[in-house]
Amino acid sequence: MVGLALLVIGLSIYSGETASADLELRGQILGSYITKDSNNSFGFSMRRARIILDGFLFSKKIKYYEQLTVEGGSLSLRDLYLTLKPAEIFGITLGQFKVPFNREELTSSSKLELVDRSVANEYFFLGRDIGVDVSFGPEKYKLRLGAFTGAGRNITRVDPTTKPSKNLLYTARLELSPLGKFVYDQPNLKGEKAVNIGGSLALFPISTAEAPKITSRADLSEFIKMHIIQEKNVRSNGTLLQGESDLKIWWDFIGLELEGLYAKFKDYGEAFGLRAQPSVVFQNFGFAVRYSLISPKGEKNIWEITAGPSYYFHGHNLKVQADYSYISEQDFKRNLIRVQLQFIVK
């Protein structure tokens, strides 16, 4: 039996070098208008409201990060992890955090250049989980290997009747950045130059006995909902295989992101995905266009075109964004207009 747990640390913040803490309050206020066949809807919402605390403990080689969500009137833990980096070419992250799989999901919602992520991301993402991620190599050429419970965030259920190797979600991600660091930020606000190349694999062995673990996940992709879960249970035991590749270019206020995605679970489901997203930033004004495609085997394609401007009053700390999306799904079409104000107080 394998047990994984989160350790909540009581911090005493000193003025010296023992520890540090940075508090961040983040909010996103969203107004949206949706037309879906003959049904229309309009509304305002507090899209995201977060409390974030991060810093270091005892040494700057030991960092912590905690994120709480308070939207919807309830408090919930999203992230809580420690990152240990004893050497420049080696690091370990332990706790609850995003599974290192696809670029768009790994990019914080506060650093997007459109109001929200693509339909392809919702179809393939793996969300947050409890586990460990080990990185090897310098900043320019890094390999990350991870193992997670598979139960998702805030759940530590592990089936004791099966071997540990049949319980865990495994990941491998390669990050190459020949011109500098690997950047998880969409708009090129400072006119920098960067070329990032990434690729990921994920293996998730699923036993029939582990059905409650899958169905109870807080983060469930559309692929898992459609092809693995049926009537609140998994179809059968098997291995979910997912792959991803991505390219990011920043060049003098111009940006481009390309991402390819793949998922397969036995003979029940197989799908390919694509996202292409060019953008430009001039002074404080930015504009981005996104094309996103999902191609499930034996089913109709799902695709989306989204475009919109952003105005950065103070970078990501204060910005207004708007976008329009045309989404063609299997049985209906959607038109979506969104306007969002984001503020971050540190």
Side-chain angles (χ1 to χ4, degrees):
M1 178 177 178
V2 174
L4 292 175
L6 289 177
L7 176 64
V8 180
I9 302 171
L11 296 178
S12 296
I13 308 304
Y14 300 97
S15 59
E17 293 295 320
T18 304
S20 72
D22 292 315
L23 178 64
E24 177 180 305
L25 305 177
R26 181 190 304 168
Q28 293 177 343
I29 300 173
L30 175 68
S32 62
Y33 176 73
I34 307 170
T35 69
K36 180 178 176 181
D37 293 337
S38 60
N39 299 319
N40 299 341
S41 63
F42 170 78
F44 287 94
S45 64
M46 177 61 77
R47 175 73 172 174
R48 295 179 176 93
R50 308 282 161 79
I51 300 172
I52 298 168
L53 187 68
D54 65 346
F56 67 86
L57 293 169
F58 312 118
S59 165
K60 292 184 179 179
K61 294 181 179 180
I62 306 174
K63 296 182 178 180
Y64 68 90
Y65 182 92
E66 181 175 14
Q67 180 179 164
L68 301 173
T69 178
V70 294
E71 64 257 24
S74 62
L75 184 68
S76 177
L77 179 69
R78 293 178 66 80
D79 296 303
L80 178 58
Y81 58 86
L82 290 175
T83 299
L84 292 76
K85 197 167 185 180
E88 192 65 30
I89 61 171
F90 179 73
I92 302 175
T93 299
L94 298 159
Q96 178 170 291
F97 50 96
K98 286 184 178 180
V99 175
F101 177 62
N102 66 305
R103 168 177 279 280
E104 190 176 19
E105 179 66 16
L106 289 172
T107 302
S108 169
S109 61
S110 66
K111 295 184 177 182
L112 301 177
E113 55 195 354
L114 292 164
V115 174
D116 212 343
R117 298 183 179 94
S118 67
V119 294
N121 185 81
E122 294 302 310
Y123 199 86
F124 293 97
F125 82 114
L126 291 174
R128 287 172 164 83
D129 212 324
I130 301 171
V132 57
D133 179 52
V134 182
S135 63
F136 305 90
E139 192 68 32
K140 290 185 177 182
Y141 311 99
K142 185 181 295 184
L143 174 65
R144 301 172 61 179
L145 301 175
F148 300 84
T149 67
R153 56 186 166 102
N154 302 329
I155 302 175
T156 56
R157 183 186 298 114
V158 176
D159 179 16
T161 64
T162 59
K163 296 179 180 179
S165 61
K166 297 294 184 180
N167 281 307
L168 302 182
L169 164 62
Y170 302 97
T171 61
R173 179 162 174 82
L174 182 64
E175 298 177 344
L176 307 177
S177 50
L179 298 185
K181 64 181 180 179
F182 207 88
V183 182
Y184 287 108
D185 191 346
Q186 287 191 347
N188 192 1
L189 295 178
K190 298 180 181 179
E192 300 176 84
K193 290 183 173 63
V195 176
N196 293 174
I197 303 168
S200 301
L201 288 174
L203 291 174
F204 193 1
I206 300 171
S207 65
T208 304
E210 284 288 272
K213 179 178 74 173
I214 308 303
T215 57
S216 299
R217 283 181 64 96
D219 302 317
L220 278 173
S221 69
E222 292 300 317
F223 183 88
I224 292 177
K225 290 179 185 178
M226 293 177 62
H227 300 293
I228 298 179
I229 297 175
Q230 187 177 39
E231 297 179 358
K232 298 184 179 180
N233 209 328
V234 297
R235 291 175 180 263
S236 69
N237 62 335
T239 298
L240 170 64
L241 168 65
Q242 292 197 191
E244 186 266 4
S245 61
D246 58 86
L247 170 67
K248 179 178 185 66
I249 298 174
W250 270 357
W251 210 267
D252 294 338
F253 299 102
I254 295 173
L256 174 66
E257 288 193 3
L258 301 174
E259 188 169 19
L261 298 142
Y262 173 77
K264 180 177 175 60
F265 180 73
K266 300 186 70 173
D267 295 327
Y268 296 120
E270 184 176 14
F272 295 88
L274 173 68
R275 177 176 63 94
Q277 188 167 320
S279 63
V280 62
V281 178
F282 180 73
Q283 295 182 346
N284 293 341
F285 178 81
F287 191 85
V289 178
R290 178 177 68 212
Y291 173 74
S292 181
L293 171 71
I294 304 163
S295 181
K297 185 177 180 180
E299 301 178 24
K300 293 181 180 179
N301 289 348
I302 301 168
W303 57 273
E304 161 211 15
I305 295 178
T306 298
S310 299
Y311 191 84
Y312 303 92
F313 294 94
H314 197 269
H316 290 299
N317 291 336
L318 182 60
K319 65 182 179 182
V320 175
Q321 296 176 292
D323 64 23
Y324 164 77
S325 296
Y326 179 82
I327 303 171
S328 174
E329 301 189 52
Q330 294 176 349
D331 298 319
F332 55 84
K333 307 291 189 294
R334 278 192 293 162
N335 292 278
L336 174 60
I337 299 173
R338 299 174 291 196
V339 179
Q340 177 174 268
L341 168 67
Q342 174 174 293
F343 59 91
I344 298 175
V345 181
K346 296 184 177 181

